[in-house]
């Protein structure tokens, strides 16, 4: 069982923040946009979330790193998530399911997107040059059933459609952390990395995922956390991210290499 730590937050009005708007006696949070959402001449990239929180949704640091690197390279970004119930809700302070709680992956993902998010069913590959999937256990719980079913997992129908569409059109697909299992399942024979294949004293605590990748019919390529693997034939780019126990800056750098190679493959 994975150890988890997270402090639940309420809805405070923080000093120095924009005041909330009052409507009918209710205070409403203003929707603030990302700098990366502004129109730019660079590649158009869809980023797909699976909730909010490492153990039941999207890994927030990975999502932020992806958005920062895309912004730095001048990409135009739009964020999506499936409108589905989460597999479960984890109390991140205890590492246990919160049995009485139910959450929706789309609504939770909007937290990361600062409200600017669309339903995954609306995503059309013709509108984008590339697609990127952050990790977090939501990728293995809400985008597919890998966390429960392993190699026999089922993939969300929109995720499967999107992967097949981008692949068929020769548009690059970026994935990090546990999300490469999606490409391994849907795009048979693709090459991906989730890091190393041995635990190495706990540095790679999820190393058994490499064998699962192989069982799914994909090729696993050993890479460092600061590297990315580029499957040039299938235009799939992957990096280990939080599959490795290391400094956050190393994970940030590895994600940057992944993003850079995804954008390089768009030729923009």
């Amino acid at each position: 069982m994975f150890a988890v730590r997270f402090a639940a937050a309420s809805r405070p009005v923080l000093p120095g923040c924009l005041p909330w708007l009052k409507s009918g006696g209710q205070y409403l949070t203003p929707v603030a946009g990302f700098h990366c959402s502004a129109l730019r001449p660079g590649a158009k990239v869809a980023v797909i979330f699976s909730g909010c929180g490492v153990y039941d949704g999207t890994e927030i640091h990975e999502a932020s790193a992806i958005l920062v690197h895309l912004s730095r390279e001048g990409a135009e970004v739009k964020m999506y998530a499936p409108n589905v119930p989460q597999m479960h809700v984890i109390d991140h302070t205890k590492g246990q399911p919160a049995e009485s709680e139910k959450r929706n992956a789309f609504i939770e993902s909007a937290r990361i997107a600062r409200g600017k998010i669309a339903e995954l069913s609306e995503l059309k590959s013709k509108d984008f040059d590339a697609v990127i999937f952050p990790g977090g256990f939501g990728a293995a719980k809400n985008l597919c059933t890998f966390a429960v079913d392993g190699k026999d997992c089922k993939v969300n129908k929109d995720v499967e459609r999107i992967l097949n569409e981008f692949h068929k059109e020769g548009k690059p697909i970026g994935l990090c952390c546990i999300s490469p299992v999606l490409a391994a399942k849907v795009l048979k024979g693709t090459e991906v990395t989730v890091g190393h294949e041995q635990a190495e004293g706990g540095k790679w605590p999820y190393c058994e995922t490499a064998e699962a990748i192989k069982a799914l019919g994909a090729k696993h390529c050993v890479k460092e956390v600061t590297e990315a693997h580029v499957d040039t034939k299938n235009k799939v780019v992957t990096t280990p991210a939080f599959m490795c126990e290391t400094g956050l800056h190393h994970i940030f750098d590895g994600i940057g290499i992944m993003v850079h190679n995804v954008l390089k493959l768009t030729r923009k």
Side-chain angles (χ1 to χ4, degrees):
M1 196 68 187
F2 300 109
V4 292
R5 290 182 176 85
F6 187 76
S10 58
R11 288 178 40 174
V13 181
L14 300 178
C17 289
L18 291 174
W20 290 5
L21 304 178
K22 191 171 185 180
S23 175
Q26 297 292 321
Y27 282 94
L28 306 176
T29 306
V31 175
F34 279 108
H35 291 296
C36 63
S37 298
L39 293 177
R40 298 183 180 191
K44 295 182 178 180
V45 182
V47 179
I48 298 178
F49 296 151
S50 60
C52 180
V54 56
Y55 294 107
D56 55 14
T58 299
E59 211 301 316
I60 299 170
H61 296 294
E62 291 177 6
S64 295
I66 288 167
L67 295 171
V68 168
H69 287 296
L70 286 171
S71 178
R72 181 168 287 154
E73 297 217 29
E76 179 183 338
V77 175
K78 188 166 183 179
M79 290 158 277
Y80 292 86
N83 190 351
V84 298
Q86 291 184 185
M87 175 183 149
H88 57 193
V89 177
I90 295 291
D91 179 339
H92 284 53
T93 66
K94 299 177 181 177
Q96 299 174 351
E99 299 293 350
S100 62
E101 281 198 58
K102 305 293 181 185
R103 297 190 185 185
N104 178 283
F106 177 72
I107 293 172
E108 293 301 299
S109 296
R111 295 175 181 274
I112 306 175
R114 298 170 65 92
K116 292 198 170 183
I117 196 161
E119 291 191 19
L120 190 57
S121 59
E122 299 174 9
L123 196 165
K124 308 299 179 187
S125 58
K126 64 181 178 62
D127 297 328
F128 294 94
D129 301 300
V131 63
I132 296 179
F133 293 79
F137 286 98
K141 294 178 178 180
N142 305 327
L143 301 187
C144 71
T145 63
F146 178 81
V148 175
D149 301 323
K151 66 180 180 62
D152 298 317
C153 65
K154 294 181 175 61
V155 178
N156 172 281
K157 64 179 182 179
D158 283 312
V159 172
E160 184 173 11
R161 171 183 62 80
I162 289 159
L163 287 169
N164 280 321
E165 285 180 0
F166 276 82
H167 183 253
K168 183 178 180 180
E169 294 168 18
K171 295 178 177 179
I173 300 165
L175 311 102
C176 65
C177 195
I178 193 66
S179 68
V181 300
L182 298 169
K185 176 67 176 181
V186 176
L187 307 176
K188 298 301 182 184
T190 191
E191 299 175 1
V192 300
T193 188
V194 289
H196 284 207
E197 298 180 357
Q198 303 295 325
E200 298 177 20
K203 183 177 180 181
W204 297 92
Y206 312 115
C207 60
E208 69 276 5
T209 308
E211 292 304 315
I213 292 285
K214 298 173 187 176
L216 286 168
K219 178 181 178 181
H220 184 257
C221 303
V222 173
K223 290 289 180 179
E224 299 298 333
V225 69
T226 53
E227 297 178 314
H229 180 72
V230 183
D231 179 347
T232 54
K233 178 182 177 181
N234 292 297
K235 292 192 175 180
V236 172
V237 187
T238 51
T239 192
F242 276 101
M243 300 300 277
C244 182
E245 289 288 342
T246 187
L248 180 59
H249 64 290
H250 294 310
I251 291 162
F252 183 87
D253 291 346
I255 288 173
I257 298 297
M258 181 267 285
V259 168
H260 178 76
N261 278 283
V262 166
L263 296 178
K264 185 178 178 181
L265 288 171
T266 68
R267 295 192 172 90
K268 289 198 175 186

